Structure formats: structure tokens, C-alpha cells
Amino acid sequence: QVQLVESGGGLVQTGGSLTLSCAASGRTFSSGGIGWFRQAPGKEREFVAAISWSVGRTDYADSVKGRFTISRDNAKNTVYLQLNSLKPEDTAVYYCANRVRGTWDYDSWGQGTQVTVSS
């Protein structure tokens, strides 16, 4: 199994920036990529962005395109999510998840990191 640890959340004003990190360990050879998800109070968890380890293919939710950037450092088994031009509606707990190689399934999750954007 792949273990994931997120870091980098915090409190920021509208328009500000944050960088989240997701460090993977364990059976990383079985990982096809990492996805970022978020869950705001009273709302369902939603997809934010994803990246593949091999070719670095990226995908983004429409709500964050042009503002968030996902990247990876294969040597460090770490994925980053750069959050720019933050809005109050970006406030949520952000989770990274491991995508099983060769599938679209996410099988393990980090503990989450809180991002709060004040207006």
C-alpha cells in the first residue's frame, strides 16, 4: 500500500497563494499517479487535480483551471499543488490520494490539510 502525507495548508487572504505537498511512501512502484481532492463543510468531496508519475499528464477541475498547478518530483515521490488567486470558496480540507497504476481507482488517502481563505 502507498502511504500519503499532506502538508502546506493554512490561512490566507483572498487572492493569496499556498503550496500543498503530498509525500508518498511504501509501495510507490504500484502508483500510477496522485490526485488532489477537497471537501468543504456540508459539501461532498470533489476532484481538484491529478497528475501521472510517468509522463506527468495533468487534469484539473474547471473551477481551478488557470489558478492551481499540479506538479511532481519523482525523485522525492512528492506531488505539489500550487494554489494561486485563492477565493473564499476554495476553503476546504484538501486530500491527496493514490491512483492505482493502470486504473482510475484511488485506493489510499492522506489525512488532509486545511486551507482557509478569508474574505
Side-chain angles (χ1 to χ4, degrees), residues 37-111:
F37 296 77
R38 67 186 181 185
Q39 187 166 20
K43 295 188 177 181
E44 294 189 352
R45 184 173 60 198
E46 64 176 353
F47 170 78
V48 175
I51 190 166
S52 67
W53 288 114
S54 57
V55 298
R57 172 182 168 172
T58 59
D59 292 291
Y60 295 93
D62 288 343
S63 59
V64 306
K65 280 181 182 176
R67 300 189 299 122
F68 292 5
T69 303
I70 191 169
S71 61
R72 78 209 194 285
D73 184 334
N74 288 43
K76 295 182 179 180
N77 289 328
T78 299
V79 170
Y80 305 95
L81 186 66
Q82 176 69 38
L83 290 63
N84 295 327
S85 303
L86 283 162
K87 306 174 182 179
E89 52 263 43
D90 294 317
T91 295
V93 177
Y94 284 69
Y95 300 89
C96 62
N98 174 66
R99 181 173 62 78
V100 179
R101 183 190 293 268
T103 77
W104 294 108
D105 298 330
Y106 291 91
D107 69 342
S108 57
W109 297 76
Q111 81 285 358

